[in-house]
Amino acid sequence: MTIMHTRPRAFSMMENTMNERPFAQAINRLREVDLRPTRQRLALAKLLFERGCDRHVTAETLHEEAQKSGARVSLATVYNTLHQFTDAGLLREIMVDSGKTYFDTNIDDHHHFLCERSGQLTDIPAHMVTVAELPQAPDGSKISRVDIVIRICDQ
Amino acid sequence: MTIMHTRPRAFSMMENTMNERPFAQAINRLREVDLRPTRQRLALAKLLFERGCDRHVTAETLHEEAQKSGARVSLATVYNTLHQFTDAGLLREIMVDSGKTYFDTNIDDHHHFLCERSGQLTDIPAHMVTVAELPQAPDGSKISRVDIVIRICDQ
DNA sequence: GGCTAAATTAGAATAACTCTAGAAATGCAA
DNA sequence: TTGCATTTCTAGAGTTATTCTAATTTAGCC
Ligand SMILES: [Mn+2]
Ligand SMILES: [Mn+2]
Ligand SMILES: [Zn+2]
Ligand SMILES: [Zn+2]
C-alpha cells in the first residue's frame, strides 16, 4: 500500500473569487433539504453555479457538459438532480416551446426573451417590465406567478 | 337503383346561429390556403369551431372527441390538420407545461390563466392586462409577440 | 469494518409526436 | 366515363425527451 503525499495546494486567487459563493451556497442548500453532497451532485452544482452568469440548460446539454468536464454522471442522475435542485429552490423549470424542458439557474423574479429562430432564452429582470393591471384570479385561487415571454424574431 | 327524396329540411333556428360563422369562416379559409375541405378536415373544423367558445385542445383530446362524434379520423390526420389549421392562421399553438402542445381556437391577442393543479388554461383578453413598460428587443430583432401566463393555485 | 438507507445507473418503458409508404379519394383531361 | 396525376389519409414504424425499474454502488454512522 502506498502512502499518498497529498500536499495542500497553494492558494490561488483565481479559484476563490465571488463566484464560489453560489457553489458554497448550493452545498449548504443541499444539506438544508437533506440531499447528500455526493460526487455527482457536487459536479453538477459546480457546472451550474460556479460561473455566476444565468444559465438555461436542458438535461441533455448539462449531461454533455459533465462528460466533457470529465465527470462521469448518468443521464438519469442528471434528470434526478435537476428535479431535486428545482424542488430545493436552487433552479427554476421553464417550458417554452419545442418539447424540451429548460432549467434556469436564475431563481430571482424575472422574465424571458425567446428568439423564435434559435430558441435561445435571455433573462429580463422583473424590474424592466411593468405590468400595470392584472385581472383578478378566479374565485378560490390566487396568483402564484406571472410568466412573461417576449418572442423576438429577426428584424 | 333508388332515387332519394332529399327534401330540404325545415329551417331550424337552433342550427343556424352566430355559432356557424367561425365554421363557415374556416371552410373559406381552408379554400384560401389551398386545403381541400375533405371529410376529415370538415369534421375536425366542426368540432373545433362550431361551439363558439374558446377551446384549448391537444391532438389526443380532439382525436377522442372525433371518435365519440362518430367521425373516423386517424391520430396522424388530427396532428396534420391541427398544424395545417395553425399555419393557415385558424389556430394558435401553445406550449405551457407538461410536455403537451395545446391548440387554441382563440386567435385574438390574449393571454392565459394556468391552473397549476389541473393544468387548465383560461383565456384573458389582451385588454384586461396592461403592460406599461417593456424592454427593448436586442439589436437586429423585433418583438413579435408577448405571451403572459398567470399561474394560479388554490387559495 | 459492517450495516442500512440513500443514491446511482443501465437499460427498459412510456408519452407525445413525426415520418413513411402504401391505399384511398379527388380533380382534371381525354 | 375512364384513365392518370396529385393530394390526402392512415397504420404502423421511428424518434425524442423523459421516467421507471431493479440491481449495484456509495455515504453516513456505529
Ligand atoms: Mn419536472
Ligand atoms: Mn408544431
Ligand atoms: Zn431565466
Ligand atoms: Zn387561449
Side-chain angles (χ1 to χ4, degrees):
Chain A
M1 184 187 279
T2 50
I3 291 167
M4 296 275 203
H5 286 266
T6 54
R7 261 183 312 156
R9 279 181 313 149
F11 177 82
S12 149
M13 280 312 267
M14 293 300 291
E15 290 172 71
N16 191 19
T17 64
M18 233 171 47
N19 288 337
E20 276 194 21
R21 188 111 39 102
F23 182 50
Q25 221 177 33
I27 296 183
N28 291 335
R29 200 62 161 282
L30 290 188
R31 288 227 177 77
E32 274 174 38
V33 294
D34 285 318
L35 289 177
R36 294 179 186 172
T38 62
R39 180 171 54 76
Q40 290 87 340
R41 293 209 267 238
L42 288 178
L44 294 177
K46 209 160 194 161
L47 291 171
L48 286 169
F49 304 117
E50 205 154 52
R51 317 261 145 172
C53 66
D54 305 327
R55 312 204 52 197
H56 303 99
V57 305
T58 66
E60 201 66 50
T61 61
L62 183 61
H63 184 234
E64 272 169 38
E65 215 180 308
Q67 311 255 254
K68 278 178 198 150
S69 83
R72 284 188 314 296
V73 188
S74 75
L75 183 58
T77 296
V78 173
Y79 272 106
N80 289 341
T81 303
L82 285 171
H83 282 123
Q84 289 156 353
F85 283 13
T86 301
D87 293 344
L90 292 168
L91 294 174
R92 216 175 89 176
E93 217 173 331
I94 300 180
M95 176 163 297
V96 271
D97 251 323
S98 83
K100 273 182 212 162
T101 301
Y102 285 83
F103 293 86
D104 193 337
T105 61
N106 182 355
I107 54 175
D108 296 339
D109 187 15
H110 73 285
H111 306 293
H112 293 98
F113 281 120
L114 171 65
C115 174
E116 291 184 329
R117 184 176 36 75
S118 66
Q120 163 122 22
L121 285 169
T122 314
D123 283 352
I124 304 169
H127 73 260
M128 306 265 314
V129 183
T130 312
V131 181
E133 207 182 328
L134 272 187
Q136 210 74 41
D139 266 3
S141 62
K142 65 176 207 295
I143 294 175
S144 67
R145 200 169 81 193
V146 177
D147 285 340
I148 302 183
V149 174
I150 304 183
R151 300 177 157 259
I152 56 179
C153 57
D154 297 333
Q155 191 160 38
Chain B
M1 182 186 281
T2 50
I3 293 168
M4 296 272 204
H5 289 264
T6 53
R7 260 183 314 155
R9 279 183 310 151
F11 178 82
S12 149
M13 282 309 268
M14 293 301 289
E15 290 171 73
N16 191 19
T17 64
M18 236 171 43
N19 289 337
E20 275 194 22
R21 188 112 37 102
F23 182 51
Q25 217 176 35
I27 295 182
N28 290 335
R29 199 62 161 280
L30 290 189
R31 288 226 177 77
E32 273 174 40
V33 295
D34 284 320
L35 289 176
R36 294 179 186 169
T38 62
R39 182 171 53 77
Q40 290 87 339
R41 293 209 268 238
L42 289 178
L44 295 177
K46 209 161 194 159
L47 291 171
L48 286 169
F49 304 117
E50 205 155 52
R51 315 262 146 171
C53 64
D54 306 327
R55 312 204 52 197
H56 303 99
V57 305
T58 66
E60 201 66 50
T61 61
L62 183 60
H63 184 234
E64 270 169 40
E65 215 179 309
Q67 312 255 255
K68 277 179 198 151
S69 82
R72 282 187 317 294
V73 188
S74 75
L75 184 57
T77 296
V78 173
Y79 273 105
N80 290 340
T81 303
L82 285 171
H83 283 125
Q84 289 155 354
F85 283 13
T86 301
D87 293 344
L90 291 168
L91 294 175
R92 215 174 91 175
E93 218 173 328
I94 301 179
M95 179 164 298
V96 272
D97 250 324
S98 84
K100 274 183 213 162
T101 300
Y102 285 82
F103 292 87
D104 193 337
T105 62
N106 181 357
I107 53 175
D108 296 338
D109 187 16
H110 72 287
H111 306 292
H112 293 99
F113 281 120
L114 170 65
C115 173
E116 291 185 327
R117 183 177 36 75
S118 67
Q120 162 123 19
L121 286 169
T122 314
D123 284 350
I124 306 169
H127 73 261
M128 304 267 315
V129 183
T130 310
V131 180
E133 207 182 330
L134 271 187
Q136 211 73 42
D139 266 4
S141 63
K142 64 176 209 297
I143 293 175
S144 68
R145 202 169 78 194
V146 178
D147 285 339
I148 302 181
V149 174
I150 304 182
R151 300 176 158 260
I152 55 179
C153 56
D154 297 332
Q155 191 158 40

